[in-house]
Amino acid sequence: MKNLNIPLRMRRLRANVSVRAMLAETRVVPAQLIQPLFVVEGDAREPVESMPGVERLPIPELVEKCRELVALGVFGVALFPKTPEEKKSPDGREATNPDCLVCRAIRAIKAAVPECVIFADVALDPYTTHGHDGVLDSAGTDVDNDASVEILCRMALENARAGADFVAPSDMMDGRVAAIRETLDAAGLTRTGILAYSAKFASAYYGPFRDAVGSKTNAADKVSGLTKKTYQLAPANRREAMREALADEAENADMVMVKPAGPYLDVVRDVRESTLLPVAAYQVSGEYSQIMAAARLGWLDLRACRDESLLAIRRAGADLILTYFAESYARDFSA
């Protein structure tokens, strides 16, 4: 057969593995990943049933996990507590206890692995009996924005005093970034950064995470009408997500985040093109669990789908990715 007269042959740039590696436009390296970790009281690991391979760790094992991650090149961890039921309250007061589970974990990690970069989650859902990210109004029908921000500021202050490198408000209350910055600066904690969950959507992909931290909302919410949709973004609203990100930048966030990552790659790209701040994206529990479940059934190749999903998030514009795959990716990366 006669060759076609096509001087432009794009396949020349895909000819073999070496050429493809040389010309890769996007790369994922372990240093760009942040491993979310769940911490629990006591001395026993607890598997998270809805997240295969993920466990809640007692503080001594959490410290060792951080040591392993740093050795693998994953320098960032995001901490989430499973608060004992007896320490939960309607106002989530345990979140402001300087000796709470997370603060003790932060101090232990920083004492043993000082090079580990700690992102401390700032929201009340692991601490409240009702499972919402703030305190409720007097009628119990909505989250009280300003009262919640006041508590979140105290929570962020204790996390920072314990040694967190970044506090990460994930609550989606209006004005909380500016209030937290003012609180930290007034306490002389000017070096503590803020990673703002700027575009956090009211997503169906959070279910396994809520199992992990025990923050499922009350069944009574269906009767009262109380819903996280009054503070988290509507999945349909792309422009509103941009307003949130730009507002957090104006309030002096050091980084902004989009959550979830995979279903919102268009928003990741929008944010990336509109700010000079570092942009993070959170590959959430539901994204992780659906890949793990399909792989266990033999329907997907786990490593290939894991890597492609992370590459897509980086390609969309994320500088950092919070992902439960961070450790496994780093182990395969260095193999």
Side-chain angles (χ1 to χ4, degrees):
M1 178 179 175
K2 183 179 178 181
N3 287 342
L4 298 175
N5 183 23
I6 45 173
L8 175 63
R9 292 181 179 266
M10 300 295 291
R11 290 183 58 189
R12 288 193 286 264
L13 302 183
R14 309 167 198 153
N16 56 59
V17 65
S18 298
V19 171
R20 292 193 295 273
M22 291 172 64
L23 298 179
E25 298 175 22
T26 306
R27 301 179 192 276
V28 180
V29 301
Q32 297 161 339
L33 307 179
I34 297 169
Q35 177 76 51
L37 294 172
F38 300 107
V39 57
V40 68
E41 295 280 13
D43 55 9
R45 291 173 174 239
E46 297 178 357
V48 179
E49 186 176 349
S50 56
M51 299 180 70
V54 173
E55 297 176 303
R56 306 180 193 95
L57 301 175
I59 289 176
E61 295 196 45
L62 182 77
V63 170
E64 288 309 306
K65 178 61 68 178
C66 291
R67 198 189 310 275
E68 293 172 12
L69 288 165
V70 168
L72 289 168
V74 177
F75 301 112
V77 299
L79 300 183
F80 302 95
K82 176 129 183 354
T83 306
E85 290 299 319
E86 65 272 15
K87 292 188 177 181
K88 293 184 179 183
S89 62
D91 61 0
R93 67 179 70 96
E94 179 65 12
T96 64
N97 177 2
D99 201 38
C100 71
L101 178 58
V102 161
C103 288
R104 284 184 278 122
I106 293 169
R107 289 193 290 268
I109 293 168
K110 278 300 178 183
V113 196
E115 62 271 39
C116 183
V117 179
I118 298 175
F119 296 81
D121 181 61
V122 177
L124 297 184
D125 50 321
Y127 301 93
T128 54
T129 49
H130 46 73
H132 282 275
D133 297 38
V135 294
L136 305 186
D137 60 21
S138 58
T141 56
D142 198 4
V143 171
D144 187 319
N145 190 93
D146 295 10
S148 298
V149 169
E150 182 179 347
I151 299 171
L152 295 169
C153 287
R154 300 203 304 269
M155 179 184 182
L157 181 61
E158 294 304 336
N159 290 169
R161 284 172 171 164
D165 298 279
F166 290 86
V167 292
S170 62
D171 55 287
M172 291 298 289
M173 298 299 118
D174 292 333
R176 88 278 204 212
V177 172
I180 289 171
R181 183 73 272 158
E182 182 179 0
T183 299
L184 295 177
D185 289 356
L189 295 164
T190 58
R191 296 186 66 180
T192 304
I194 298 176
L195 167 59
Y197 284 60
S198 299
K200 180 179 178 180
F201 289 86
S203 173
Y205 283 83
Y206 300 149
F209 174 90
R210 290 172 183 159
D211 288 341
V213 298
S215 68
K216 285 193 173 182
T217 52
N218 294 335
D221 286 1
K222 294 180 180 179
V223 177
S224 68
L226 180 61
T227 173
K228 295 196 176 198
K229 293 179 180 179
T230 68
Y231 48 97
Q232 295 176 358
L233 281 164
N237 293 5
R238 182 174 172 181
R239 295 193 305 271
E240 187 181 6
M242 282 304 310
R243 292 186 67 196
E244 288 279 6
L246 294 176
D248 285 351
E249 179 177 29
E251 292 182 18
N252 292 308
D254 297 283
M255 305 181 192
V256 293
M257 188 199 294
V258 177
K259 177 184 180 183
Y264 297 91
L265 295 181
D266 58 330
V267 179
V268 175
R269 171 52 56 186
D270 287 345
V271 174
R272 172 68 287 152
E273 291 179 346
S274 301
T275 181
L276 296 178
L277 293 181
V279 175
Y282 198 146
Q283 186 182 48
V284 300
S285 58
E287 296 177 76
Y288 170 86
S289 293
Q290 67 182 1
I291 292 174
M292 292 295 294
R296 286 192 166 194
L297 289 169
W299 295 346
L300 295 176
D301 180 299
L302 175 57
R303 180 170 178 175
C305 287
R306 175 200 68 190
D307 294 0
E308 185 176 343
S309 69
L310 294 174
L311 188 69
I313 298 166
R314 280 280 295 143
R315 191 183 65 243
D319 300 291
L320 298 172
I321 305 172
L322 283 79
T323 173
Y324 301 94
F325 288 123
E327 180 179 0
S328 67
Y329 183 89
R331 291 191 184 282
D332 290 337
F333 187 86
S334 61

